[in-house]
Amino acid sequence: MTALHLRQPALTLKAGYRALQRLREAPLTPADVHVIPGAAGGPKALGLTGLDKAVFGQWLPRVPQQRALIGSSIGSWRFAAVASSDDPAVQLERLAELYISQRFDRGVTAEEVTRKSDEFLASLLAGREQQVLDHPWYRLGILVVRSHGRLADDRRGRLLTGLAQVVAANLAGRRHLGRFMDRGLVQDPRSPVPLADLTDFPTHRIELTAENLRPALLASASIPLVMSGVRDLPGAPAGVYRDGGLLDYHLDLPYQQPGIVLFPHFTDRVVPGWFDKALRWRKGTAEHLKDVLLVAPSPEYLAALPDGKLPDRRDFERYAGNDAGRERAWRRAVAESERLGEAFLEGLETGRLMDWVQPL
């Protein structure tokens, strides 16, 4: 492997209190990792492609063992790509290229975005739904929410009113979101996602099947107003299902497993729900995150990217009328992300990884 000679590491690493103690006692190995969360974040996932390829394509396969992959929105799409092929690196590259090549006309409707997103998933999975369900190591979990009241209505006026109600309720306290949505966890029937009882919101555990895999992935990324909700998810309670990140944006969940929860992430901050993004005082729960090792791009790395940041959904507006320019910027971000994977593997091999780890 080519050694990296960087003034600042490309990665920021943060560890929960128990993970930090464990890493001080022994170096991280693939055998330590039993759970990998994947956060919501749309195009930001493009900026993790190289890190994901290193983790899933090179490092974890050194120790084949059962691992739970639990994701919201694009996090679940990344993991579906990983579990749908014997060559996850190739599938992750395909996911990135499919995302980059999306083009939307100004004023595009939610129905059109939903249709194109379903086509995206069809191209990504290419009939390999059963391969995901039969994967020898990976057990996929997909987070969705079931909407109530006006949040379940795709008519723009009523949905806007519903969202305003949700924002106000969330400001009063995150617990109030239970009036507007339930959590759905669509999981591999061979093994439940290793979480303690989820008592913060009503939660439905739903068996993952070949029939509901694609609808669940679509629902998990269905941002209100941007995409239509998915009605009556097969195998789930009746209702309208939307983006899992509304409740579980960065997956601040009570993990229960014997080792390290490896969290390749877009940022060094854990934000509980989508409506908490602007609320700097809303942070992840220390007890939930005690076993987490969060691996994210460093500020120095981000500053060198096009526009000084990871790709994000606002780029569709920033580059309006210039799809070719957006695609060049995004492809450069994907290419640069190989540095993240190289830094992660080099840090493990040289023992420098612990030099970068900070408390989460």
Side-chain angles (χ1 to χ4, degrees):
M1 180 189 306
T2 302
L4 299 181
H5 301 285
L6 303 174
R7 291 187 177 181
Q8 296 288 341
L11 295 173
T12 293
L13 290 94
K14 292 192 173 183
Y17 69 85
R18 196 160 71 177
L20 192 60
Q21 180 62 36
R22 185 185 182 103
L23 292 168
R24 285 170 176 162
E25 295 171 354
L28 180 68
T29 74
D32 297 324
V33 177
H34 301 268
V35 179
I36 303 99
K44 294 184 181 72
L46 300 175
L48 295 184
T49 301
L51 178 60
D52 280 347
K53 286 167 59 180
V55 169
F56 292 104
Q58 298 183 56
W59 188 62
L60 290 178
R62 296 176 189 175
V63 180
Q65 65 184 19
Q66 182 175 312
R67 295 183 173 98
L69 311 180
I70 176 170
S72 281
S73 195
I74 193 63
S76 68
W77 291 28
R78 288 162 57 207
F79 294 159
V82 166
S84 64
S85 172
D86 295 331
D87 192 339
V90 169
Q91 273 292 79
L92 288 163
E93 289 173 353
R94 179 167 177 73
L95 171 67
E97 185 54 34
L98 285 168
Y99 209 121
I100 290 168
S101 61
Q102 293 180 107
R103 294 190 175 190
F104 300 104
D105 295 331
R106 190 182 295 274
V108 64
T109 65
E111 292 80 8
E112 178 67 4
V113 176
T114 301
R115 184 185 67 80
K116 287 190 173 184
S117 297
D118 194 40
E119 291 175 354
F120 180 124
L121 288 169
S123 296
L124 179 67
L125 294 173
R128 291 189 288 263
E129 286 84 355
Q130 197 59 47
Q131 187 163 344
V132 175
L133 295 169
D134 293 338
H135 199 284
W137 310 327
Y138 295 130
R139 305 292 185 263
L140 180 61
I142 303 168
L143 286 159
V144 296
V145 299
R146 184 174 66 149
S147 310
H148 300 309
R150 293 190 176 187
L151 198 63
D153 198 323
D154 276 321
R155 287 175 292 181
R156 187 173 182 85
R158 290 181 62 81
L159 183 52
L160 280 168
T161 301
L163 288 169
Q165 292 171 339
V166 172
V167 169
N170 188 60
L171 277 172
R174 184 167 151 78
R175 67 187 183 280
H176 297 298
L177 293 179
R179 292 159 39 201
F180 303 95
M181 59 190 94
D182 302 339
R183 176 189 286 119
L185 176 53
V186 188
Q187 60 184 0
D188 192 310
R190 294 173 295 177
S191 179
V193 175
L195 299 171
D197 290 341
L198 298 168
T199 58
D200 51 347
F201 299 105
T203 299
H204 310 280
R205 291 193 181 241
I206 302 154
E207 181 175 319
L208 181 66
T209 66
E211 181 185 12
N212 68 18
L213 172 58
R214 212 166 95 196
L217 290 169
L218 187 65
S220 190
S222 293
I223 302 170
L225 299 175
V226 177
M227 292 172 62
S228 305
V230 174
R231 186 170 296 278
D232 296 339
L233 187 65
V240 174
Y241 287 82
R242 300 194 186 275
D243 195 319
L246 298 180
L247 280 181
D248 298 304
Y249 190 48
H250 291 170
L251 285 79
D252 176 25
L253 297 169
Y255 302 102
Q256 285 193 329
Q257 42 69 57
I260 295 290
V261 176
L262 181 65
F263 189 3
H265 194 20
F266 321 116
T267 176
D268 63 357
R269 180 184 174 212
V270 174
V271 179
W274 189 75
F275 298 99
D276 300 321
K277 288 190 293 181
L279 309 181
R280 299 297 298 184
W281 62 90
R282 292 276 172 88
K283 300 178 181 179
T285 309
E287 190 61 23
H288 287 176
L289 304 176
K290 62 181 180 291
D291 293 318
V292 167
L293 174 62
L294 184 151
V295 184
S298 70
E300 295 79 12
Y301 171 87
L302 293 173
L305 292 179
D307 303 314
K309 64 174 186 59
L310 295 175
D312 63 47
R313 194 169 289 104
R314 289 171 295 181
D315 289 342
F316 284 109
E317 298 177 7
R318 184 179 290 110
Y319 288 92
N322 183 19
D323 282 312
R326 174 186 56 78
E327 290 173 4
R328 280 194 301 272
W330 285 12
R331 287 195 176 95
R332 183 179 157 197
V334 171
E336 287 292 321
S337 73
E338 296 293 327
R339 290 173 49 205
L340 301 177
E342 291 170 3
F344 179 71
L345 295 177
E346 186 201 38
L348 289 166
E349 291 175 8
T350 62
R352 292 181 58 213
L353 196 73
M354 273 307 297
D355 296 339
W356 306 337
V357 178
Q358 308 166 42
L360 179 59

